[in-house]
Amino acid sequence: MIILSREDGIFDQGLIEALKNAKKVAVLTGAGISAESGVPTFRGEGGMWKQYRPEELATFEAFSRDPNLVWEWYSWRKKLIAEVSPNPGHHALVQLEKYYQDFTLVTQNVDNLHREAGSNNILELHGSIRRNFCLDCAKNYEDSDLTLGSEVNSCDCGGLIRPAVVWFGESLPQGVMEASFQKAEECEVFFSIGTSAVVYPAAMLPVQAKRAGALLIEINPQETMLTTSADHFLQGASGEILPELIREMGI
Ligand code: NAD
Ligand code: ZN
């Protein structure tokens, strides 16, 4: 395990060579990559809303019990996310996508910031907070069709409208999941960035990649469940480490 010291900013040259020579790269991002844009992570500071933990709000049960409360929380998050912009970490991943022949970005984030930054090949595991649909007839709604606030919106058919995100306890979109596992198994290098690696099945992706022979690189200011399995643990904020890394690679 290699710990990058932020003070001297020196990367392992073996790592840089391996990154320059790789052809197939897969990346998993979590809430941490958007933290520097001002989107709170779930488990970090600012993750709580009123007195609630996200796990108490981001479930079908919570929405069934109190749709107004859950919609109010999403309205707050939608407004917050609409005001923020991608940070240097998101932008560095766009550069990496251009550099590699085969590059896949798997994200657990629902904030659309990778797309806004310019990444193309994105697999959204948990959906998008920008989209919504009716619980009864599945009709899609944009935020601009709806009223954000403390009262849930109803569809023309009378059904309640929910955000198009995957809630705790719900299954992930199957095609997206399968494609993510396939890329994890095929890649030579796998990055796990800004994720606490505790939300399954996404947390299995880096483990699976490593098992299949990939070099596993983790970028996070804090150690996670994954850190002891990583070949390189680059400790720090992704908005700083990723731009340094691509500069070092000569991109
Ligand atoms: P998490 O909140 O469990 O963990 C965030 C991780 O990011 C932590 O390990 C933390 O140390 C790290 N981190 C904090 N600042 C960082 C930085 N500047 N650079 C790099 N890493 C940093 O988030 P998770 O693992 O993504 O899981 C939570 C679930 O919540 C996900 O499924 C995701 O869908 C959802 N979520 C999404 C958003 C978003 O879309 N931006 C925000 C919050 C939660
Ligand atoms: Zn409907």
Side-chain angles (χ1 to χ4, degrees):
M1 189 173 78
I2 289 153
I3 309 275
L4 167 80
S5 147
R6 292 281 304 118
E7 281 73 43
D8 56 24
I10 292 169
F11 288 93
D12 178 76
Q13 279 312 306
L15 166 64
I16 298 300
E17 280 312 303
L19 286 176
K20 279 162 96 174
N21 296 330
K23 305 258 179 304
K24 296 181 178 183
V25 173
V27 179
L28 172 69
T29 62
I33 195 161
S34 297
E36 289 156 89
S37 292
V39 185
T41 62
F42 273 2
R43 291 171 189 82
E45 229 172 280
M48 296 273 286
W49 176 75
K50 297 191 172 173
Q51 70 272 36
Y52 303 100
R53 286 181 295 114
E55 290 88 341
E56 296 175 89
L57 297 165
T59 68
F60 185 76
E61 290 71 32
F63 188 71
S64 307
R65 198 183 325 119
D66 195 343
N68 289 336
L69 177 74
V70 173
W71 183 251
E72 188 182 352
W73 179 54
Y74 276 102
S75 296
W76 171 75
R77 294 187 64 212
K78 281 169 184 279
K79 284 178 192 162
L80 191 149
I81 285 169
E83 281 168 13
V84 303
S85 309
N87 67 56
H90 297 104
H91 293 302
L93 290 178
V94 178
Q95 297 307 313
L96 282 181
E97 177 170 334
K98 289 186 185 143
Y99 181 82
Y100 291 112
Q101 284 175 3
D102 187 333
F103 181 88
T104 307
L105 176 51
V106 184
T107 188
Q108 299 171 84
N109 294 346
V110 297
D111 57 28
N112 206 43
L113 289 178
H114 286 303
R115 207 168 294 281
E116 240 174 75
S119 289
N120 288 309
N121 200 8
I122 307 171
L123 294 169
E124 284 179 338
L125 285 177
H126 294 161
S128 166
I129 201 171
R130 301 284 181 89
R131 299 190 298 267
N132 312 271
F133 66 93
C134 168
L135 271 186
D136 288 354
C137 73
K139 182 175 172 188
N140 290 313
Y141 287 89
E142 298 294 320
D143 281 350
S144 52
D145 303 327
L146 304 175
T147 311
L148 300 185
S150 55
E151 208 175 311
V152 71
N153 292 249
S154 298
C155 177
D156 310 330
C157 82
L160 298 182
I161 298 169
R162 60 166 281 182
V165 298
V166 177
W167 280 330
F168 291 105
E170 291 186 323
S171 39
L172 272 55
Q174 205 183 341
V176 177
M177 199 62 223
E178 281 169 9
S180 304
F181 271 99
Q182 192 182 334
K183 289 298 180 183
E185 271 155 35
E186 287 172 4
C187 71
E188 299 153 66
V189 176
F190 190 99
F191 284 91
S192 179
I193 306 173
T195 173
S196 55
V198 293
V199 179
Y200 281 84
M204 273 307 291
L205 288 167
V207 177
Q208 202 74 3
K210 165 112 188 169
R211 243 182 236 157
L215 186 75
L216 179 57
I217 303 166
E218 182 178 38
I219 303 178
N220 201 306
Q222 310 205 331
E223 293 190 22
T224 70
M225 301 285 283
L226 193 67
T227 307
T228 50
S229 318
D231 296 298
H232 298 270
F233 175 52
L234 307 183
Q235 189 164 27
S238 46
E240 293 172 20
I241 302 267
L242 280 167
E244 281 176 20
L245 200 60
I246 63 167
R247 209 176 307 128
E248 195 78 12
M249 287 170 66
I251 298 181

